[in-house]
Amino acid sequence: MNITRRVLNCKVIYPSSLFNSRGRFCTSQSTRMSRHTNSKRIEGLNKNVWVVFTAMTSDPSIVNLGQGKPDIPPPSYVKEALAKAASVDDLSQYTRGFGHPCLVKALSQVYGKVCGRQIDPFKEILVTVGGYGSLFSTMQGLVDEGDEVIIIEPFFDCYLPMVKMAGAKPVLIPLRVKSGKKTLTGADWFLDPNELASKFSSKTKAIILNTPNNPIGKVFTREELQMIADLCIKHDTLCISDEVYEWLVYKGHQHIKIATLPGMWDRTITIGSGGKTFSVTGWKLGWSIGPEHLIKHLQTVMQNSLYTCPTPLQEALAQGLLHNFDLMGQPECYFSSLSEELEVKRDRLAAVLQEVGMTPIIPEGGYFMLVDVTSLNQDLSHMADDDEAYDWKFVRWMIKEKKLAAIPVTAFVGDESKKQFEKYIRFCFIKQDGTLDAAEHILKNWSQI
Amino acid sequence: MARRIRAHLAEDDDVWCELGHLSAEYQTVNLGLGFPDFAPPDFVREAFSDAVNGPPRMHQYTRSVGHRPLVESLARFFSRLMGHQIDPQGEVVVTVGAYHALFCTIQALVEEGDEVIIVEPFFDCYQSMVHLSGGKSVPVPLRQKSGGCASLSGDWVLSPEELESKFSSLTKAIVINNPNNPLGKVYTREELQMIADLCIKYDVICISDEVYEWLTYDGAQHVRIASLPGMWERTVTIGSAGKTFSATGWKVGWAISQGQIMKFIRAVQQISVSDCPTAAQEAVARGFQREYEVFGTAQSYFLQLPALLQTKRDNLASTLEEMGLKPILPQGGYFMIVDISSFKVELNDRGSEDQPYDSRFVKWMIKEKGLSAIPVSLFYSRQHKKDFDKYIRLCFIKEDSTLEAAQDILKKLDQ
């Protein structure tokens, strides 16, 4: 069990100095800590794969294809826009709580065009601290204690604790893989329609959709989205559509917004990310777009949690969006040029993995690749902690022995699906060529190093 | 909507909105907005610029609970002021502004059935956040002490008996804001000791919002309640880079507390944002590193800013007194409240008589005089609004040109 979870579940711990020589607990007024413990809403919610792996990969000699953090530079005009914004007096002070005016207007323009509808910048958009902040505001604003929320596995790990913190019950459904194929892609993973339908009940408040999916890289087709939409409409359920990787879609595939399907705009919150769009994850700006009657509740959460997002970052992001709005459809547009750049890296990494006998799942979108390590037959029985899933052990071993980091995929599934996914690890390929060269070297020399 | 936000919805949200729209419509000289209209100091602006133009990692995720250089500089800076060796790894969390630190702290600790004592007048979000967590807010007002000087913020005090009567077995926490917004009171050591004694006696956590910690005047000393005996273990101290460096738009804040409480606060920070923007944290870290080197010297922004503001405070107070308005001179912070009870004016707002007087006065002043302020009753609980509806709040962290324009209007207020 993760150490931080164990500690968080403990009641107050008293320092040993408070015990006298007979081992009796003494409470001198000056050193007694409070008996108070955490609120129930965060009980058991501290397990965080990122905290654990950041600590394990702090050694700079480790080739880190783990966390989804680009090491390629962002486009220069975006950095320049931030440098410029940082020097403007007004932009050093608070801006509009629900989103800096020029940013919400830019978002309204871009997404108005993409969705083919007028989007009110002030009533139908909320700017948040990353896509993460949008997920949180949505959950807190719309999901109640006693609700059920359907989550598709594998899922970005924060969905589960956020649903629980809202007091709701997560209802999990795994993507399943078509059998009998030699080369697998994201498209070979699917939701069983009957299984999905069985997960809806009168208590279902929402389903969370992530397309392109992290970690598999599946891009849901129109037919698949229609199936989900039909169920949402039938059961009067909301759809929380996490589309942070929307621009990273590879040849032959198209990102479709479920909110544009008939009957879906009024029940969908669509989430986007400046960090993923412009390779600036450290800016932590995202947005929620949806109908006013839903967005206003997210805005209320915002007003009572952090009030407003940083001004200069929002200004710079707006400039980046407007710059690319003008270029949409052209090769220089970052919304398409980044995916072209990444497709090359995707193909390169996949080829190397196949060469060494691993089985990559070729993603149709996003910048992660799932890899099945079964065929390596790596014996990890010497590693302590029998409870730990195979992929966690494999990744720990790989970091230590091979100096290559990935993320274990069971971090993205519920307990019941762990067996199904424990032979997969996730690599991130939004990395510069030097990083991928180093990874390639380690992989090609796998049996020697 | 989720029941949690329906239950809590702040009653006064509409008033804040209305005042904001009116101020824009009438293009007022705005002493209502509670933030500077001038730039942050050059050294932090340069630090931000350097960070933005720095290595690629300045634009990618940093350490989730707080950028390493920032938590280290905060720990180093505040250890000597809190009398405790703060562990940067385990006792500091960085948040998106102090507002978010308050949210994370209250969500981490307060739930249905809990009571939270809030000293009035209070920054209005404290009450909303407590209600959002399902807790019950228990207000206790600062009152002018008998025989004291009505025009000094230091003479607004808590009655020890009244304060103690608010503690019960259900009390989870008390929220204090020192220096106080809107009053500008700076609590003395003895006053903080009284609060501390009660926290220890009733085993209550103290949430101490100290965002205006550097802004004290007339020699008043800011004392950190966490530094009092027995209080480190039960205090969460909240700070703000926005207020510290006049850069509110950067939205960098922090909470400092002992490790066990900090774990709970971090859990909420992780679920709500998971990470704060990198470049701004780097800039604030460098700001604190610089201030550490010049602490206590004439180059310290933490001495220069209060000196600058004291002059602005005094000029504004003089003009108000000349006009028969009664300012309550703040010992700290950058707000001043003004007693308008003896200022006779025809408000011409038939139909609004049931609204708090200060609200009506502020709307009149916006529409008829082109000057914005904030009605102080917005900083009180529903129980006590009526007792404190004869004050307006003015913000004086403004350029001299703004304050001069305000003073020109004030000089003609009775015409």
Side-chain angles (χ1 to χ4, degrees):
Chain A
M1 182 199 275
N2 178 281
I3 284 176
T4 45
R5 186 204 277 168
R6 252 186 255 137
V7 173
L8 192 62
N9 284 350
C10 283
K11 297 301 178 188
V12 177
I13 296 167
Y14 293 91
S16 59
S17 57
L18 289 187
F19 289 82
N20 64 20
S21 58
R22 288 203 195 128
R24 282 189 215 274
F25 182 59
C26 45
T27 55
S28 85
Q29 198 179 47
S30 64
T31 50
R32 181 168 54 105
M33 286 200 279
S34 171
R35 68 187 148 82
H36 292 291
T37 183
N38 53 285
S39 61
K40 290 190 206 58
R41 68 178 62 83
I42 57 169
E43 193 62 44
L45 296 189
N46 205 42
K47 180 171 178 171
N48 185 315
V49 62
W50 312 112
V51 172
V52 174
F53 277 87
T54 303
M56 290 183 60
T57 54
S58 56
D59 175 352
S61 70
I62 292 169
V63 178
N64 197 340
L65 300 195
Q67 192 183 9
K69 202 158 95 162
D71 65 4
I72 61 172
S76 57
Y77 53 83
V78 152
K79 276 195 356 174
E80 280 153 24
L82 183 55
K84 189 164 162 215
S87 65
V88 175
D89 286 5
D90 282 354
L91 298 176
S92 301
Q93 307 303 338
Y94 294 131
T95 184
R96 176 177 171 269
F98 304 146
H100 189 48
C102 70
L103 176 55
V104 293
K105 287 177 190 164
L107 288 165
S108 161
Q109 267 186 272
V110 169
Y111 287 102
K113 182 169 178 173
V114 168
C115 297
R117 68 178 292 135
Q118 292 265 60
I119 298 177
D120 184 320
F122 301 111
K123 297 185 181 160
E124 295 181 320
I125 299 180
L126 173 67
V127 175
T128 55
V129 178
Y132 214 99
S134 272
L135 288 160
F136 181 76
S137 300
T138 301
M139 232 58 89
Q140 289 286 308
L142 299 175
V143 175
D144 258 318
E145 212 163 309
D147 285 344
E148 290 178 2
V149 177
I150 300 172
I151 303 177
I152 300 167
E153 298 173 297
F155 50 82
F156 181 49
D157 68 305
C158 77
Y159 299 166
L160 199 68
M162 284 191 189
V163 167
K164 287 185 172 172
M165 186 171 162
K169 179 183 165 199
V171 172
L172 305 181
I173 174 170
L175 284 163
R176 297 190 184 279
V177 62
K178 292 176 192 159
S179 54
K181 289 193 71 179
K182 273 228 156 67
T183 313
L184 286 174
T185 72
D188 296 315
W189 292 73
F190 65 99
L191 284 174
D192 180 292
N194 293 327
E195 191 180 10
L196 180 61
S198 76
K199 301 294 181 180
F200 281 76
S201 80
S202 58
K203 294 193 182 157
T204 310
K205 176 57 66 69
I207 177 169
I208 305 176
L209 172 67
N210 179 213
T211 181
N213 169 279
N214 168 13
I216 289 187
K218 175 183 176 62
V219 172
F220 284 72
T221 63
R222 186 175 289 277
E223 293 68 34
E224 288 171 318
L225 294 175
Q226 191 62 61
M227 173 184 67
I228 296 170
D230 289 342
L231 286 163
C232 286
I233 292 167
K234 179 176 175 185
H235 294 274
D236 194 17
T237 299
L238 300 176
C239 180
I240 303 169
S241 188
D242 175 353
E243 301 183 12
V244 297
Y245 302 103
E246 58 187 308
W247 305 112
L248 304 181
V249 174
Y250 305 118
K251 277 199 211 63
H253 306 286
Q254 194 195 358
H255 175 70
I256 294 166
K257 289 181 164 308
I258 195 170
T260 60
L261 269 53
M264 289 305 286
W265 171 260
D266 283 330
R267 60 178 68 254
T268 305
I269 298 286
T270 306
I271 293 171
S273 159
K276 306 292 191 279
T277 298
F278 288 110
S279 310
V280 285
T281 59
W283 287 27
K284 288 294 294 184
L285 279 176
W287 48 84
S288 299
I289 297 179
E292 182 184 353
H293 69 269
L294 296 179
I295 290 288
K296 70 182 185 190
H297 302 313
L298 278 65
Q299 289 175 335
T300 301
V301 174
M302 181 70 175
Q303 196 167 1
N304 290 282
S305 57
L306 48 92
Y307 203 82
T308 184
C309 290
T311 316
L313 293 164
Q314 291 190 69
E315 174 76 25
L317 184 61
Q319 300 309 320
L321 286 167
L322 290 171
H323 177 94
N324 283 286
F325 178 76
D326 290 338
L327 295 172
M328 271 169 98
Q330 293 171 46
E332 305 82 35
C333 180
Y334 197 70
F335 299 161
S336 43
S337 68
L338 179 61
S339 58
E340 281 168 19
E341 191 185 333
L342 291 183
E343 189 160 344
V344 173
K345 295 179 192 281
R346 175 196 75 167
D347 294 344
R348 177 188 168 181
L349 181 63
V352 170
L353 290 163
Q354 280 158 341
E355 231 181 272
V356 306
M358 297 195 210
T359 312
I361 316 298
I362 314 294
E364 308 158 297
Y367 51 59
F368 300 108
M369 188 177 300
L370 227 58
V371 183
D372 183 339
V373 299
T374 312
S375 49
L376 293 178
N377 277 318
Q378 185 60 46
D379 176 14
L380 300 172
S381 51
H382 60 283
M383 290 182 73
D385 199 345
D386 288 326
D387 275 351
E388 199 177 44
Y390 182 84
D391 55 343
W392 279 76
K393 285 188 191 160
F394 185 93
V395 168
R396 283 186 199 281
W397 168 85
M398 189 170 73
I399 290 173
K400 189 166 172 239
E401 302 300 329
K402 303 293 180 188
K403 299 268 191 227
L404 176 64
I407 297 291
V409 172
T410 57
F412 301 102
V413 304
D415 289 339
E416 286 176 22
S417 295
K418 282 196 194 313
K419 277 284 167 220
Q420 183 188 341
F421 287 91
E422 71 173 340
K423 287 295 170 55
Y424 294 100
I425 62 175
R426 185 196 82 171
F427 283 117
C428 169
F429 55 88
I430 186 165
K431 302 288 178 185
Q432 55 184 330
D433 287 343
T435 310
L436 294 174
D437 290 341
E440 190 172 327
H441 175 78
I442 292 170
L443 289 163
K444 285 189 162 161
N445 293 286
W446 192 263
S447 25
Q448 283 114 52
I449 298 177
Chain B
M1 71 172 91
R3 280 189 297 278
R4 73 181 63 79
I5 54 172
R6 183 189 305 140
H8 115 72
L9 284 173
E11 298 142 10
D12 293 324
D13 281 353
D14 290 341
V15 183
W16 285 98
C17 257
E18 188 189 355
L19 295 176
H21 288 139
L22 277 176
S23 298
E25 187 187 334
Y26 287 86
Q27 297 185 337
T28 56
V29 174
N30 202 328
L31 298 198
L33 294 172
F35 51 88
D37 64 357
F38 51 76
D42 286 342
F43 68 88
V44 283
R45 288 221 284 186
E46 280 157 20
F48 196 5
S49 207
D50 287 348
V52 170
N53 291 315
R57 61 188 165 78
M58 286 290 128
H59 298 278
Q60 306 306 334
Y61 294 131
T62 184
R63 179 173 171 269
S64 61
V65 291
H67 186 54
R68 200 169 298 274
L70 178 54
V71 296
E72 283 170 0
S73 66
L74 289 171
R76 185 168 76 137
F77 197 95
F78 286 101
S79 287
R80 60 182 177 183
L81 299 174
M82 286 194 189
H84 174 91
Q85 198 52 40
I86 300 168
D87 168 22
Q89 305 306 322
E91 295 179 332
V92 185
V93 66
V94 177
T95 54
V96 183
Y99 204 97
H100 186 221
L102 286 159
F103 173 78
C104 293
T105 302
I106 293 170
Q107 284 277 312
L109 299 172
V110 177
E111 54 196 350
E112 207 159 319
D114 287 339
E115 291 180 0
V116 178
I117 299 170
I118 304 179
V119 177
E120 299 181 292
F122 51 77
F123 181 46
D124 64 310
C125 80
Y126 303 158
Q127 183 175 254
S128 316
M129 288 182 182
V130 167
H131 292 175
L132 193 63
S133 295
K136 178 181 167 201
S137 57
V138 175
V140 60
L142 289 158
R143 300 183 190 278
Q144 290 177 22
K145 74 181 178 203
S146 54
C149 182
S151 64
L152 293 178
S153 63
D155 284 337
W156 289 54
V157 297
L158 288 170
S159 144
E161 297 74 28
E162 186 179 13
L163 178 60
E164 182 155 13
S165 75
K166 305 296 181 185
F167 282 77
S168 80
S169 59
L170 298 175
T171 310
K172 176 63 70 76
I174 176 169
V175 184
I176 63 169
N177 178 213
N178 181 29
N180 171 281
N181 166 16
L183 180 59
K185 176 183 177 61
V186 172
Y187 289 75
T188 63
R189 185 176 288 276
E190 293 67 36
E191 288 172 316
L192 293 174
Q193 190 62 63
M194 178 196 47
I195 295 170
D197 289 344
L198 288 166
C199 286
I200 292 168
K201 178 176 176 181
Y202 291 91
D203 191 16
V204 161
I205 293 173
C206 179
I207 302 172
S208 186
D209 174 355
E210 302 186 13
V211 297
Y212 303 104
E213 58 191 310
W214 304 112
L215 303 181
T216 59
Y217 313 116
D218 308 321
Q221 288 291 309
H222 176 67
V223 176
R224 291 173 173 78
I225 196 169
S227 66
L228 270 52
M231 288 306 285
W232 168 255
E233 294 79 9
R234 58 180 66 255
T235 303
V236 180
T237 305
I238 289 171
S240 157
K243 306 294 192 283
T244 294
F245 292 115
S246 306
T248 60
W250 291 9
K251 289 291 289 181
V252 176
W254 54 85
I256 297 175
S257 188
Q258 52 97 335
Q260 193 63 10
I261 294 179
M262 183 49 59
K263 283 197 175 66
F264 307 149
I265 300 172
R266 280 178 173 185
V268 181
Q269 187 261 21
Q270 287 288 280
I271 288 191
S272 55
V273 303
S274 114
D275 210 328
C276 296
T278 312
Q281 291 189 68
E282 175 72 21
V284 175
R286 295 188 199 183
F288 269 102
Q289 282 153 16
R290 185 260 190 197
E291 284 296 313
Y292 186 87
E293 302 306 327
V294 300
F295 189 69
T297 72
Q299 291 133 322
S300 166
Y301 188 66
F302 299 167
L303 292 181
Q304 290 168 351
L305 183 60
L308 181 74
L309 293 185
Q310 181 157 334
T311 309
K312 294 178 193 279
R313 176 197 75 162
D314 294 344
N315 288 340
L316 184 59
S318 299
T319 303
L320 290 161
E321 278 159 353
E322 271 169 41
M323 294 312 298
L325 292 155
K326 296 188 213 145
I328 315 299
L329 206 65
Q331 302 159 292
Y334 52 58
F335 299 107
M336 187 181 309
I337 73 171
V338 185
D339 182 342
I340 50 170
S341 56
S342 51
F343 189 84
K344 295 297 165 230
V345 61
E346 181 51 64
L347 296 179
N348 288 325
D349 61 347
R350 191 116 53 100
S352 304
E353 291 81 0
D354 60 335
Q355 287 178 22
Y357 182 79
D358 53 358
S359 238
R360 297 168 59 202
F361 185 95
V362 164
K363 286 181 207 171
W364 165 83
M365 202 168 68
I366 288 173
K367 291 180 194 172
E368 301 300 327
K369 301 292 172 184
L371 177 64
S372 292
I374 300 291
V376 170
S377 59
L378 287 180
F379 300 92
Y380 279 89
S381 60
R382 202 190 293 177
Q383 294 98 301
H384 298 136
K385 268 187 210 302
K386 275 283 174 223
D387 301 334
F388 295 94
D389 69 346
K390 301 290 192 313
Y391 301 91
I392 63 174
R393 185 194 81 172
L394 298 172
C395 174
F396 56 88
I397 190 166
K398 306 288 179 187
E399 293 270 32
D400 284 342
S401 53
T402 311
L403 293 170
E404 279 157 17
Q407 278 158 225
D408 285 342
I409 292 172
L410 287 167
K411 286 176 179 163
K412 299 182 202 132
L413 208 62
D414 54 0
Q415 286 164 23

